[in-house]
Amino acid sequence: MPLTAPDLHAWIRAFADRVAEERAYLTKLDSAIGDGDHGQNMNRGLSHAVDQIDDDASMSDTMRTVAMALISKTGGASGPLYGTLFMDAGKTTAEHEELGTPEVAALFRAGLNGVQRRGKAEPNDKTMVDALLPAVEALEDAAENGTPLSEAIQQAANAAKKGMEATTPLEARKGRASYLGERSKGHQDPGATSTYYLLDAAATAWSDRA
Amino acid sequence: MKKLINNPDDVVREALEGMAAAHPDLLTVHFDPTYVVRADGVPDGKVGLLSGGGSGHEPMHNGFVGRGMLDAACPGEVFTSPTPDQMQAATEAIDAGAGVLHIVKNYTGDVMNFEMAEEMAESGGIDVRSVVIDDDVAVEDSTYTAGRRGVGGTVLIEKICGAAADKGYSLDDLEALCTRCNDNVRSMGMALTSCTVPTAGEPTFDLGEDEMEIGIGIHGEPGRKRMEVEPADQIVERLMTPIVEDLPFKDGDDVILFVNSMGGTPLIEVYLAYRKAAELAEQHGLRVVRNLVGPYITSLEMAGLSITMMRADDDIVELWDAPVHTPGMRWGA
């Protein structure tokens, strides 16, 4: 069965729960190379977003609501980045009643494009793009191969995890971590980590969807 | 953590309530979304001037709202960018038909949030421009692609652009002036101690009793290097030399010299440092035609100082001298 609006609601709730659970860990990662507020900021934005979700709302309205909640309550750089991700991703859902693998691939591709437009980050800058890009590529490959959604989204989550882990040796070229230069090496990027949770939450929420 | 606060989560709101109570003649504070706006309204046809950023740098920016400087400011949480809904509400409040200029310090979060606010305001039919301030010579532009940070130059630019907007500059002209000021200003700072963000409860970084950090940002970000504390004259020279060399300032230039306390350094030490900074400026053949001394862009209780120098032509000096009446800066009015 393909995705409908309640599946997006479940995904966003799962993402919020995961960030709440890992809040201290995200903050610890951010304290090492940023300003130590990523866990707290993401948690504040997402709990507000979850409060705003209307169970009867369409997919595109839900995505827009979440985007606006993140933009107004998260603060820092994460608010605009995740807000733009949901805003742009949501626009792709407007013309669909339900989403299969190709539509989910298009959704995350639009989100990635939005993040890159907003943050101007390239791969290997040690940012959330390093987790999101491999996930999008995995989804696009899966769409081409006709892979069912549950499997495709799991592959995307695995790719995001690998991408996240690969940020550790990189030198940051964007955001506050970039002021550290060389000293940013040896730390996993907190933004790539929360992006992995975003994909992993989808894999969990959509594990029985085709 | 020992601070004169109630609850760490209420610090920004309660400080704003205090500002509103102290300066009802100059400014009004709005909550949800939070912004500070001049009390007497923006005159019809005047370009609105808006800035904003994390709290903890007082008097910047809220303290520069009033007459002859900012029309509105958006405060974020301590050291955290404000959000686009605040900026959009403030932009709408100060649009008097001639458009609104956003003055943005170059930090990733600030730049992105202001960019979104700009898009939102434009879709609402308001002509909005923004100029990003990046005057910190401590950050090597070529290595770090987030670019240089916006620091002390912002204070001078907000004063000068505020005067120009009052004088009737169009949005185009104001944007050009703001860019020209940014092109002609350089800053560098240093810290003797760290600072403690109230919600964090612990110092942002550790600095030994005999250590200082040269090239510090205004949120306790790392600087160029950590070293043993030296006599003030040597420290001032360590800040002035990169500033002079970077622009570069030339023999015979007129300058505005600004020596700023990071919050914890008392005025007696800031004046002591100003004495040396002015002497060094003269040795480089520069004429200090105006100056500013004191805590204007701070990092909570951090001890340390920053030095800012702007190359000033007659236009800029005239705008600098124009009357200003805000909680944080006042002369001629």
Side-chain angles (χ1 to χ4, degrees):
Chain A
M1 209 170 70
L3 300 184
T4 55
D7 297 305
L8 295 192
H9 302 167
W11 164 46
I12 291 153
R13 290 199 176 100
F15 179 38
D17 288 347
R18 183 69 180 273
V19 165
E21 276 165 34
E22 304 288 356
R23 180 178 162 179
Y25 176 61
L26 287 173
T27 289
K28 190 178 134 225
L29 291 177
D30 195 32
S31 298
I33 55 170
D35 48 5
D37 58 5
H38 190 55
Q40 196 172 317
N41 287 351
M42 286 297 290
N43 187 52
R44 185 175 55 236
L46 279 165
S47 29
H48 182 67
V50 165
D51 287 344
Q52 302 285 308
I53 292 180
D54 170 1
D55 283 331
D56 300 325
S58 69
M59 293 195 281
S60 60
D61 285 350
T62 298
M63 295 291 277
R64 195 184 146 75
T65 302
V66 170
M68 291 312 294
L70 292 176
I71 289 165
S72 64
K73 293 290 172 195
T74 310
S78 306
L81 289 169
Y82 276 101
T84 305
L85 191 161
F86 276 94
M87 186 72 79
D88 288 12
K91 285 176 189 160
T92 67
T93 63
E95 62 221 41
H96 302 293
E97 292 291 313
E98 44 185 43
L99 313 176
T101 303
E103 293 79 22
V104 169
L107 177 147
F108 279 101
R109 170 59 76 178
L112 169 66
N113 289 347
V115 167
Q116 288 198 277
R117 173 172 58 85
R118 183 69 59 207
K120 319 222 163 38
E122 296 297 325
N124 300 321
D125 281 353
K126 200 181 182 99
T127 71
M128 62 191 288
V129 168
D130 294 321
L132 193 51
L133 174 63
V136 169
E137 287 172 349
L139 282 167
E140 288 171 349
D141 285 349
E144 209 161 292
N145 300 331
T147 311
L149 185 60
S150 57
E151 214 175 298
I153 194 69
Q154 188 57 56
Q155 287 167 1
N158 295 345
K161 185 165 193 239
K162 260 197 195 162
M164 164 191 86
E165 287 164 354
T167 61
T168 303
L170 297 174
E171 179 174 332
R173 289 197 295 244
K174 282 279 179 279
R176 225 167 256 185
S178 71
Y179 301 128
L180 283 166
E182 283 269 328
R183 285 192 269 175
S184 64
K185 290 182 180 175
H187 300 279
Q188 185 172 301
D189 181 60
T193 309
S194 57
T195 296
Y196 160 62
Y197 298 154
L198 177 76
L199 272 301
D200 201 45
T204 308
W206 304 340
S207 61
D208 56 355
R209 292 291 185 263
Chain B
M1 174 174 63
K2 186 154 75 173
K3 280 186 187 287
L4 211 156
I5 63 173
N6 297 306
N7 180 337
D9 290 326
D10 298 334
V11 169
V12 173
R13 173 179 280 265
E14 290 177 355
L16 287 168
E17 286 167 0
M19 281 199 86
H23 306 291
D25 54 325
L26 295 175
L27 52 82
T28 307
V29 179
H30 283 260
F31 291 104
D32 301 315
T34 305
Y35 63 93
V36 179
V37 63
R38 64 189 283 176
D40 56 351
V42 180
D44 257 357
K46 187 187 97 70
V47 174
L49 199 56
L50 170 72
S51 189
S55 294
H57 309 300
E58 290 67 25
M60 189 185 76
H61 300 275
N62 305 330
F64 299 149
V65 174
R67 294 193 279 277
M69 210 164 165
L70 297 178
D71 296 301
C74 296
E77 290 300 311
V78 172
F79 294 174
T80 297
S81 167
T83 54
D85 52 326
Q86 294 173 257
M87 299 160 186
Q88 188 191 14
T91 300
E92 284 169 4
I94 62 169
D95 176 42
V100 175
L101 182 71
H102 292 176
I103 297 181
V104 185
K105 300 192 300 305
N106 191 29
Y107 297 95
T108 305
D110 291 50
V111 170
M112 281 191 242
N113 281 288
F114 268 103
E115 213 175 81
M116 297 200 84
E118 200 178 333
E119 289 169 14
M120 286 155 83
E122 270 170 4
S123 66
I126 301 177
D127 197 356
V128 175
R129 310 284 172 77
S130 66
V131 175
V132 176
I133 309 302
D134 56 350
D135 56 316
D136 187 0
V137 301
V139 177
E140 317 257 354
D141 221 357
S142 52
T143 322
Y144 306 113
T145 51
R148 291 181 160 179
R149 302 172 289 219
V151 288
T154 316
V155 175
L156 308 187
I157 290 170
E158 289 178 359
K159 163 68 187 86
I160 291 161
C161 289
D166 257 6
K167 226 181 140 191
Y169 275 48
S170 69
L171 186 56
D172 280 340
D173 291 346
L174 200 61
E175 183 187 15
L177 172 72
C178 194
T179 305
R180 183 159 66 90
C181 287
N182 184 50
D183 290 344
N184 282 285
V185 67
R186 297 292 187 274
S187 301
M188 187 152 156
M190 58 80 57
L192 292 168
T193 67
S194 181
C195 56
T196 298
V197 175
T199 50
E202 285 170 27
T204 308
F205 59 97
D206 293 315
L207 208 49
E209 186 52 35
D210 55 349
E211 285 180 317
M212 62 177 179
E213 180 97 17
I214 296 282
I216 196 91
I218 54 174
H219 312 94
E221 313 95 305
R224 278 194 180 179
K225 64 173 169 181
R226 184 165 293 197
M227 51 190 300
E228 264 188 38
V229 175
E230 297 171 328
D233 285 1
Q234 271 163 265
I235 295 173
V236 168
E237 193 160 0
R238 280 188 189 278
L239 302 181
M240 280 294 280
T241 305
I243 291 173
V244 172
E245 286 172 354
D246 191 87
L247 191 53
F249 289 88
K250 295 187 306 290
D251 202 347
D253 279 348
D254 287 352
V255 297
I256 301 173
L257 177 60
F258 168 30
V259 179
N260 171 65
S261 162
M262 296 300 238
T265 289
L267 268 179
I268 187 170
E269 293 174 24
V270 184
Y271 274 113
L272 186 153
Y274 179 80
R275 160 197 137 277
K276 183 65 181 178
E279 181 191 312
L280 287 170
E282 273 177 35
Q283 277 175 23
H284 285 282
L286 308 174
R287 284 206 322 149
V288 180
V289 292
R290 295 293 183 274
N291 66 63
L292 187 66
V293 181
Y296 289 94
I297 169 171
T298 59
S299 292
L300 296 169
E301 73 279 25
M302 181 187 284
L305 55 82
S306 66
I307 299 178
T308 297
M309 210 158 49
M310 179 184 278
R311 190 152 59 193
D313 55 26
D314 292 348
D315 284 347
I316 286 179
V317 172
E318 191 190 320
L319 293 166
W320 180 257
D321 287 342
V324 59
H325 188 182
T326 68
M329 202 182 278
R330 181 178 188 181
W331 57 75

